[in-house]
Amino acid sequence: MKLTHFSLLVAFVLQGVYAVPNLPSNDLKPRRTSSILINPAAQPALPSAQQAASSSASVGLNLTNIQGDILIGMKKNKELFFFFSIVDPTSFKSQLGADILPLITSTTELLAVSTQPNTLVNIAFSQRGLTALGITDNLGDSLFTAGQLNDASSLGDTTSNWVSEFAGTSIDGVLLLASDTVDNINNTLSQLQSTLNGSISEVYSIQGQARPGNEQGHEHFGFMDGISNPAIDGFSTPLPGQAVVAPGIILVGEQGDGTTRPSWAIDGSFLAFRQLEQRVPEFNKFLIDNALSEPNLTVDQNTELLGARMMGRWKSGAPVDLTPLVDDPVLAADPQRNNNFNYTHPDFNLATDQSHCPFSAHIRKTNPRADIGGSFSEHIIRAGIPYGPEVTDAEAASNVSSTDPTLERGLAFVAYQANIGNGFAFLQQFWANNINFHTSSVGQDPIIGVATPDGPRSVGGLDPLDSTRDITLNQDFVISRGGEYFFSPSLSAIQNTFSA
Ligand code: HEM
Ligand SMILES: *[C@@H]1O[C@H](CO)[C@@H](O)[C@H](O)[C@H]1NC(C)=O
Ligand SMILES: *[C@@H]1O[C@H](CO)[C@@H](O)[C@H](O)[C@H]1NC(C)=O
Ligand SMILES: *[C@@H]1O[C@H](CO)[C@@H](O)[C@H](O)[C@H]1NC(C)=O
Ligand SMILES: *[C@@H]1O[C@H](CO)[C@@H](O)[C@H](O)[C@H]1NC(C)=O
Ligand SMILES: *[C@@H]1O[C@H](CO)[C@@H](O)[C@H](O)[C@H]1NC(C)=O
Ligand SMILES: *[C@@H]1O[C@H](CO)[C@@H](O)[C@H](O)[C@H]1NC(C)=O
């Protein structure tokens, strides 16, 4: 009896909530009461709509013209990457302006829960896709023009590991659909597909999702991600320690972009997509087998310490530069402090002392801060999401990742930048894979670096008791399964240049 009354009450209340009058007639964009984005304490909050409006006005940035995924970082809860090929360019061009553009989510819309759509919809095109649409202007980025497959050997990829769809030549674009539930994403996708009526076809797709429970915001090795992205002048207020970059480092044609571009390309951004498989049981076994030997730490703590020194942060997100021997979860959860370091310390030799953070650590390789003077333009906005299931009991017990393709897990890596050769590709090739960066013979980045040709590699600086000791990695724990380079145009470019 009570249950029935309760259910009736719930049904009544729900009806009251959902039957909001004056909903936009387009049912893909109802007003929301909870955010489609995650917001773990360690990750910086987005600016409020009001803050963003006033800072963007000060540099003349139009956040309503910029696709929403570009500036928000790794905050999606669920995200589908739908790689497509254009089957009927004429129909697709007319649908782009009439049917797709009204669904494209701008940056402004994401900043207040009340203006968020049910599902974020963004779209980006490969060079092949631009050509299919008859867009012949040169965007001024040679890596984009050539496509990622042509960059594979420079990136150190073993192309036999590439997913065949990325190694083929049929991907014209990608739809990014993100929401708090897969149900919403599926509904949006089916509505899009019925609107598009076969003008594009699916080549490949990846469903990403934030990890469950307390792991939300952490990548599959267990480390909190999405903490450090540069602050963009005109978008976000910098947190202590955060790099600040001109908008043109990320957005094409904006102040700070040194390349000549077609005028319509302004406010677009290049999206470097990578499917990066993570071999989690193997990584965990490596940490156990190579645990460090700090005298005052337990074996488990010495195991954790090795992982933290490889990454440059503890799993909580606390930077080893600030807390070298023990994790500090309170520091980790405080965005005012968790990015406020640059590897310098009083009475400390920055050029030789690895007692706080190894030179090879992933975050030091990919953002060397004061090591190279503190001010440089090789910055990206990372906007990826984990994909694949949690490690199964059988995998954990055997220390080996399953060969079942449905159990593959990793990072659906997304980097935005105005110049791929100065952004993602630079970080991977000249920093992560370079044994001499930033100092002689330190080895590759132990997380994402690879030897060329692929094989065992030795990484320096990981042992705080003996910085001259190299540790050998007989395998890579991150394996590139390939990807593609895309251009994510502004809303006005979709309207005026991409549509017909
Ligand atoms: C599966 C592969 C990867 C994993 C597991 C991973 C993991 C992480 C983690 C845990 C952090 C620290 C959290 C943060 O600062 O936000 C981080 C930071 C970062 N990663 Fe990765 N990452 C991966 C791939 C890459 C790739 C391919 C690149 C670029 C080539 C990259 C560039 C960066 C940068 C620039 C930072 C911020 C460094 C800083 O500002 O301190 N990551 N990554
Ligand atoms: C900002 O961009 C939107 C979307 O392209 C456009 O409708 C609007 O007119 C632009 N505003 C200004 C002030 O240029
Ligand atoms: C969403 O669609 C995918 C692909 O069609 C399907 O595998 C999955 O079960 C669907 N999920 C939900 C929650 O409907
Ligand atoms: C959908 O595509 C089919 C086959 O190309 C065509 O006959 C039909 O008219 C299209 N429907 C709409 C609503 O455009
Ligand atoms: C270990 O702990 C002892 C006692 O607390 C302290 O005297 C010593 O300095 C510590 N050693 C290291 C390497 O931290
Ligand atoms: C590094 O941080 C220290 C302390 O905040 C600061 O004094 C110094 O100028 C910074 N160095 C660089 C190169 O940014
Ligand atoms: C998994 O690796 C750990 C650490 O090396 C080891 O103790 C354990 O015996 C291994 N399990 C199997 C089944 O090989």
Side-chain angles (χ1 to χ4, degrees):
M1 226 19 207
K2 267 186 183 156
L3 256 184
T4 310
H5 281 146
F6 181 68
S7 326
L8 281 173
L9 180 66
V10 167
F12 179 76
V13 169
L14 284 180
Q15 200 180 20
V17 169
Y18 287 110
V20 181
N22 305 322
L23 269 182
S25 57
N26 182 345
D27 65 353
L28 284 174
K29 291 189 164 187
R31 286 178 183 279
R32 291 183 147 266
T33 53
S34 66
S35 179
I36 73 173
L37 305 175
I38 60 168
N39 198 14
Q43 297 183 356
L46 291 174
S48 70
Q50 204 179 4
Q51 283 163 343
S54 71
S55 62
S56 59
S58 72
V59 300
L61 208 55
N62 182 355
L63 297 176
T64 306
N65 200 32
I66 300 166
Q67 291 201 58
D69 193 45
I70 298 172
L71 301 178
I72 64 169
M74 310 185 74
K75 289 185 165 292
K76 277 81 57 170
N77 192 330
K78 320 275 181 204
E79 182 171 20
L80 178 73
F81 299 88
F82 183 88
F83 300 94
F84 62 84
S85 124
I86 299 169
V87 177
D88 176 351
T90 309
S91 302
F92 183 61
K93 283 190 84 137
S94 72
Q95 293 156 343
L96 255 181
D99 307 313
I100 308 300
L101 179 63
L103 305 182
I104 301 291
T105 311
S106 74
T107 306
T108 307
E109 280 175 277
L110 290 173
L111 299 181
V113 171
S114 62
T115 56
Q116 285 178 357
N118 205 351
T119 304
L120 173 156
V121 179
N122 274 196
I123 195 166
F125 298 92
S126 64
Q127 175 60 60
R128 188 191 137 102
L130 293 190
T131 305
L133 295 176
I135 298 172
T136 54
D137 288 334
N138 184 346
L139 277 175
D141 190 297
S142 56
L143 296 180
F144 168 77
T145 304
Q148 196 176 107
L149 183 60
N150 282 307
D151 203 20
S153 70
S154 302
L155 296 170
D157 281 17
T158 302
T159 44
S160 57
N161 291 331
W162 273 42
V163 170
S164 61
E165 287 83 355
F166 289 127
T169 52
S170 55
I171 294 178
D172 289 326
V174 59
L175 279 161
L176 279 55
L177 305 181
S179 192
D180 49 349
T181 68
V182 173
D183 240 7
N184 283 345
I185 291 175
N186 281 6
N187 290 337
T188 303
L189 181 63
S190 18
Q191 297 191 41
L192 275 167
Q193 279 174 316
S194 73
T195 304
L196 291 169
N197 190 26
S199 68
I200 64 172
S201 73
E202 175 175 357
V203 174
Y204 182 57
S205 63
I206 301 176
Q207 176 66 61
Q209 61 276 318
R211 293 188 53 218
N214 291 338
E215 293 298 315
Q216 190 181 71
H218 298 243
E219 49 70 46
H220 276 292
F221 293 142
F223 296 84
M224 178 58 81
D225 209 348
I227 300 171
S228 182
N229 271 317
I232 311 301
D233 244 344
F235 178 62
S236 40
T237 314
L239 288 159
Q242 192 177 14
V244 181
V245 300
I249 299 300
I250 305 298
L251 297 165
V252 163
E254 288 291 349
Q255 183 252 316
D257 175 16
T259 306
T260 306
R261 316 283 189 176
S263 58
W264 57 263
I266 189 168
D267 285 349
S269 187
F270 292 102
L271 184 175
F273 182 86
R274 302 275 282 166
Q275 179 176 335
L276 299 176
E277 179 183 354
Q278 290 177 258
R279 304 192 57 91
V280 178
E282 291 84 349
F283 178 80
N284 289 337
K285 177 176 167 55
F286 174 82
L287 297 187
I288 293 172
D289 293 347
N290 294 278
L292 295 171
S293 38
E294 278 290 337
N296 287 0
L297 302 183
T298 65
V299 171
D300 283 354
Q301 288 170 327
N302 268 307
T303 302
E304 288 285 304
L305 179 63
L306 176 61
R309 289 180 64 84
M310 290 166 71
M311 194 62 85
R313 290 185 185 268
W314 297 89
K315 286 185 173 175
S316 65
V320 298
D321 192 50
L322 296 182
T323 178
L325 288 180
V326 285
D327 190 8
D328 181 346
V330 177
L331 163 66
D334 182 354
Q336 293 293 328
R337 296 196 290 140
N338 68 15
N339 212 11
N340 193 13
F341 60 94
N342 66 13
Y343 306 113
T344 70
H345 299 276
D347 306 317
F348 185 89
N349 188 338
L350 180 63
T352 57
D353 193 333
Q354 305 188 68
S355 63
H356 286 241
C357 184
F359 298 142
S360 60
H362 174 57
I363 69 162
R364 194 163 183 176
K365 277 275 193 180
T366 55
N367 181 5
R369 301 184 189 221
D371 288 330
I372 60 166
S375 176
F376 46 90
S377 63
E378 290 82 5
H379 286 284
I380 56 177
I381 293 208
R382 292 174 301 125
I385 188 168
Y387 72 90
E390 295 292 296
V391 171
T392 63
D393 292 345
E395 289 175 295
S398 66
N399 297 319
V400 179
S401 296
S402 169
T403 53
D404 176 349
T406 67
L407 293 183
E408 179 183 326
R409 64 189 62 79
L411 183 62
F413 177 85
V414 170
Y416 288 104
Q417 61 264 289
N419 180 332
I420 299 168
N422 205 33
F424 157 72
F426 191 94
L427 272 49
Q428 182 73 53
Q429 184 180 349
F430 297 109
W431 285 351
N433 292 353
N434 179 355
I435 59 165
N436 294 317
F437 184 77
H438 70 83
T439 193
S440 177
S441 303
V442 2
Q444 293 94 353
D445 176 328
I447 304 295
I448 64 162
V450 288
T452 40
D454 198 16
R457 54 205 175 91
S458 61
V459 175
L462 295 175
D463 187 344
L465 297 172
D466 179 5
S467 68
T468 64
R469 181 181 150 222
D470 290 340
I471 293 184
T472 300
L473 278 65
N474 285 311
Q475 60 182 314
D476 298 330
F477 305 111
V478 170
I479 294 168
S480 169
R481 308 268 284 130
E484 185 51 286
Y485 295 142
F486 299 96
F487 181 68
S488 177
S490 70
L491 277 79
S492 61
I494 295 174
Q495 178 160 33
N496 302 320
T497 305
F498 286 73
S499 308

